[in-house]
Amino acid sequence: MRLLWGFVTLSLCVYHTVAATDPQITATPGDEVFPGNETSVTLGCSITDAPSPIKGSYWTKNGEKIKNTETEGADATTEYSIDKITNTAGGKYACVFDTQPQSIKEIEVKTPTHVKPYKESEHGNENDKGVLTCVSHGYPLPLDWFWFKVTGDSEVAIINGTEKYEIKSTPERTILYVKALDMTADMGDYVCKGDNGLGMATGQIHLRVRSRLAALWPFLGIVAEVIVLIAVIFIYEKKRKPDEVTDDDDSGSAPLKSNSATNHKDKNVRQRNSN
Ligand SMILES: *[C@@H]1O[C@H](CO)[C@@H](O)[C@H](O)[C@H]1NC(C)=O
């Protein structure tokens, strides 16, 4: 009896796995799409041998449902148009048919490598550590990152793990550390390159190195400003005393002024009344 029960469960399991892999979904233009420099691309799915009647369909990108892609009905085909091929257009797309169980087909949209400097210009103080960062927002992300220093007309490859340089990379970003910054040797342009298997893309960063003294300038500026301010206040206080007599003269003429002001107001009131 137990043996029979085991056999039934086993065959049910087998039936389920078969049923789950059974539907045939054909993707257009293919399982992998390379839009290259096309401006738009239309993805399509067509299902045959659905495991149950189709109630509708929708599309996902990187596991999240794409808004306004839901359709209802027994339609065995569905389309989704990517209207603008930007560096963020790539990713793992999928069409999902509402069946029991769900029928899903993944389509990978692969765009050319995207590389961008985090900041196009960086600066550091003499003897400090310079930090240069390049990032990628594309699909696929770079598998390899490289750094170069622009020297004259050529680019010299930077080797990781020397006294001068250290490189830390993840698929999303690469960071170049330039240690013990030197004003003449390290100032200049640096190039990062990434490759996602569909070609190389580059970014360029300008590094400025300031002398330690230059870092002091703002502080010296503030000190100079305070000295000037104190001097001005001091001189003003000294000169002010003889002025006080004329100040009194001014206040003497004040009542006259306010008289004319009230006269004016009276005239306004009168005018308004006559209206
Ligand atoms: C560079 O070298 C350091 C240590 O020497 C290491 O931790 C790091 O992963 C290396 N970076 C790359 C991009 O290989």
Side-chain angles (χ1 to χ4, degrees):
M1 182 61 195
R2 190 176 287 171
L3 198 70
L4 181 66
W5 188 239
F7 178 74
V8 167
T9 336
L10 187 72
S11 45
L12 267 177
C13 275
V14 168
Y15 172 75
H16 262 272
T17 42
V18 167
T21 56
D22 210 14
Q24 290 289 314
I25 304 178
T26 326
T28 48
D31 293 4
E32 284 190 338
V33 181
F34 306 90
N37 44 22
E38 282 166 63
T39 50
S40 69
V41 67
T42 300
L43 311 178
C45 282
S46 174
I47 186 171
T48 52
D49 305 323
S52 75
I54 302 159
K55 289 191 196 140
S57 67
Y58 61 87
W59 287 80
T60 63
K61 181 184 177 185
N62 299 327
E64 281 182 26
K65 194 185 265 191
I66 304 172
K67 266 186 213 161
N68 306 323
T69 57
E70 292 104 329
T71 60
E72 279 176 23
D75 213 339
T77 62
T78 178
E79 276 190 352
Y80 176 68
S81 283
I82 307 170
D83 292 330
K84 249 187 165 178
I85 304 294
T86 59
N87 60 286
T88 52
K92 286 183 179 174
Y93 289 77
C95 58
V96 182
F97 286 98
D98 189 3
T99 53
Q100 286 299 331
Q102 277 187 333
S103 306
I104 302 168
K105 175 75 179 175
E106 190 178 271
I107 302 176
E108 277 189 280
V109 176
K110 298 183 173 183
T111 51
T113 313
H114 169 261
V115 169
K116 192 169 152 282
Y118 182 67
K119 275 163 82 184
E120 283 176 4
S121 173
E122 286 284 359
H123 59 80
N125 294 330
E126 223 176 356
N127 294 327
D128 281 357
K129 196 193 269 182
V131 184
L132 309 181
T133 307
C134 281
V135 295
S136 177
H137 305 288
Y139 184 86
L141 289 166
L143 305 161
D144 280 317
W145 286 101
F146 311 93
W147 281 94
F148 300 84
K149 185 169 193 301
V150 178
T151 311
D153 285 340
S154 57
E155 290 172 354
V156 179
I158 290 172
I159 296 159
N160 181 34
T162 61
E163 262 182 29
K164 188 46 113 180
Y165 301 113
E166 190 177 342
I167 299 167
K168 281 191 181 159
S169 298
T170 65
E172 291 90 1
R173 73 181 59 228
T174 180
I175 306 173
L176 171 69
Y177 297 96
V178 186
K179 290 175 261 185
L181 285 177
D182 182 274
M183 280 192 68
T184 48
D186 297 330
M187 188 115 71
D189 292 319
Y190 292 79
V191 172
C192 60
K193 297 190 185 188
D195 189 351
N196 73 354
L198 297 175
M200 196 86 91
T202 70
Q204 187 161 327
I205 303 175
H206 183 74
L207 176 64
R208 286 185 300 134
V209 182
R210 295 185 304 189
S211 75
R212 283 256 159 215
L213 201 64
L216 261 171
W217 280 126
F219 173 72
L220 293 178
I222 289 167
V223 170
E225 224 168 85
V226 168
I227 289 169
V228 167
L229 210 66
I230 288 170
V232 165
I233 291 169
F234 190 75
I235 292 165
Y236 179 76
E237 286 288 329
K238 271 210 150 181
K239 278 205 169 170
R240 202 186 145 180
K241 271 167 198 162
D243 284 359
E244 268 164 14
V245 187
T246 52
D247 266 17
D248 283 345
D249 267 15
D250 274 5
S251 64
S253 68
L256 254 177
K257 263 185 212 160
S258 64
N259 261 349
S260 73
T262 43
N263 281 348
H264 221 70
K265 213 186 280 171
D266 283 352
K267 217 186 277 172
N268 280 346
V269 171
R270 249 175 270 142
Q271 259 175 9
R272 222 175 289 148
N273 284 346
S274 67
N275 284 344

